[in-house]
Amino acid sequence: MSVLTLGVATLAVAIAFGVIGLSMVWGPANRRVAKGLESIELYYGSGQPGSVAGAGQVGLPYLLIRLGQLAAKLSPAGVPASIGRRLNLAGNPGSWTVEKVLAYKGLGLFAGAALGALLGSRSGVAVFVFGGLGAAVGFFLPDVLLYNAGSKRQAVMRKQLPNTLDMLTVCVEAGLGFDAALSQIGRNTQGPMAAECVRMLQEMQLGKSRVEALRALADRTTVVELRAFVSAMVQASELGVPTAQVLHEQAKEMRAKHRQLAEEKAQKLPVKILFPMMFCIFPVLFIVVLGPTVLSLLAMFGG
């Protein structure tokens, strides 16, 4: 009985030391993975702090820091997160961060108010009216520019998506893995889709699963076709469907949608050029064709 007790105690001590050893090995590894993912988020500027308290960490002058804090107080609670999402949609241009956008909103508030007041300085009422309008325009101008940049980038992504899927399909059917195919796209192509593929590959290399990286990609886009592709890939990964088969079907469907979109734009063209023709082209044609005749008739009846 004592031998059995001694064996159980020895086994318990071995298990305890094993758990301690695994925690010592996996703890730093998990921390390194988390730190790596955090570095990717910081590199792409997708941090979404709830306030601008950390604005000094991005090298902003003190005045802009205070203006950013003022803009954050004047904005609703969810505005920093919304700005972070729009930055992701715009591809995080340059070194823009949520703090910088808020700082420029505050700067635009005072600059617009000063410019409006200067324009309306001839009248006391006009000073307040133009000053208020200028402050509103300056405050919302960074949001408009950011939204415009995001819309343009998403349009480019929609245009590049069929070619990207074709290249993914060719690489996977040639024997490459999905990660290697993403690497080939990032190495041999340019544009927003290549940048998104590189970012997704970096996230997977630093510890994220393929499903998590795909869902993060879907959160960074508003392109319906790309979100549908991500959904199909996630379902294929969870159900064990071969990746090459899913890519082949998705690429074929994407080509069909791209062709339908081109046909739709072609059908809209006559309606779009109708009003320019009526108000710009037809009057000029009438003047050129009927002008000499009208002048001859006026000269005849006037004489």
Side-chain angles (χ1 to χ4, degrees):
M1 194 70 178
S2 60
V3 175
L4 180 61
T5 304
L6 181 62
V8 171
T10 304
L11 180 61
V13 172
I15 292 174
F17 277 106
V19 171
I20 294 174
L22 287 176
S23 64
M24 293 178 64
V25 172
W26 287 102
N30 290 335
R31 284 194 295 270
R32 286 195 297 269
V33 170
K35 186 176 294 185
L37 293 174
E38 183 181 358
S39 66
I40 288 181
E41 297 295 329
L42 290 176
Y43 174 77
Y44 286 101
S46 59
Q48 298 175 4
S51 65
V52 293
Q57 299 177 0
V58 294
L60 290 177
Y62 179 75
L63 178 60
L64 288 181
I65 295 175
R66 301 298 297 177
L67 291 175
Q69 292 174 351
L70 176 62
K73 292 179 180 178
L74 294 176
S75 303
V79 166
S82 176
I83 293 175
R85 172 169 171 74
R86 288 200 295 269
L87 283 171
N88 279 329
L89 295 178
N92 302 288
S95 58
W96 280 61
T97 60
V98 177
E99 291 83 6
K100 284 189 176 182
V101 175
L102 288 173
Y104 291 136
K105 283 169 68 70
L107 180 63
L109 176 69
F110 286 97
L115 182 60
L118 182 63
L119 292 176
S121 59
R122 296 182 179 180
S123 174
V125 178
V127 169
F128 293 100
V129 173
F130 283 93
L133 290 176
V137 171
F139 187 76
F140 291 107
L141 182 60
D143 293 328
V144 174
L145 296 177
L146 190 58
Y147 176 80
N148 187 38
S151 299
K152 290 182 178 179
R153 185 173 185 269
Q154 297 302 311
V156 175
M157 289 177 63
R158 179 179 287 107
K159 186 177 180 180
Q160 293 180 347
L161 182 59
N163 294 331
T164 303
L165 287 185
D166 287 342
M167 189 171 181
L168 265 177
T169 304
V170 171
C171 291
V172 173
E173 290 181 345
L176 293 178
F178 186 73
D179 299 357
L182 290 178
S183 177
Q184 289 294 325
I185 291 176
R187 186 180 300 115
N188 298 315
T189 62
Q190 296 179 351
M193 282 305 306
E196 290 295 338
C197 289
V198 169
R199 180 172 179 178
M200 186 167 59
L201 181 62
Q202 290 175 346
E203 291 176 350
M204 287 190 292
Q205 289 174 345
L206 286 173
K208 273 190 177 182
S209 65
R210 182 185 299 181
V211 172
E212 292 175 345
L214 286 169
R215 286 175 176 167
L217 173 62
D219 292 336
R220 295 193 300 269
T221 183
T222 58
V223 180
V224 179
E225 295 84 357
L226 181 55
R227 295 174 71 92
F229 164 72
V230 168
S231 178
M233 289 296 298
V234 169
Q235 291 180 1
S237 298
E238 293 176 347
L239 297 177
V241 181
T243 304
Q245 179 181 352
V246 177
L247 286 173
H248 182 76
E249 294 297 327
Q250 288 293 316
K252 184 169 65 175
E253 182 180 356
M254 201 63 60
R255 280 295 176 188
K257 288 184 177 179
H258 193 67
R259 189 182 305 111
Q260 291 173 0
L261 182 61
E263 293 175 354
E264 180 183 354
K265 290 183 177 180
Q267 294 295 329
K268 290 180 179 179
L269 186 60
V271 179
K272 290 182 177 180
I273 67 174
L274 177 62
F275 291 100
M277 288 182 63
M278 290 178 58
F279 295 104
C280 299
I281 299 177
F282 285 162
V284 176
L285 287 177
F286 290 153
I287 292 173
V288 172
V289 174
L290 300 178
T293 305
V294 172
L295 292 177
S296 300
L297 291 176
L298 289 177
M300 183 185 301
F301 289 106

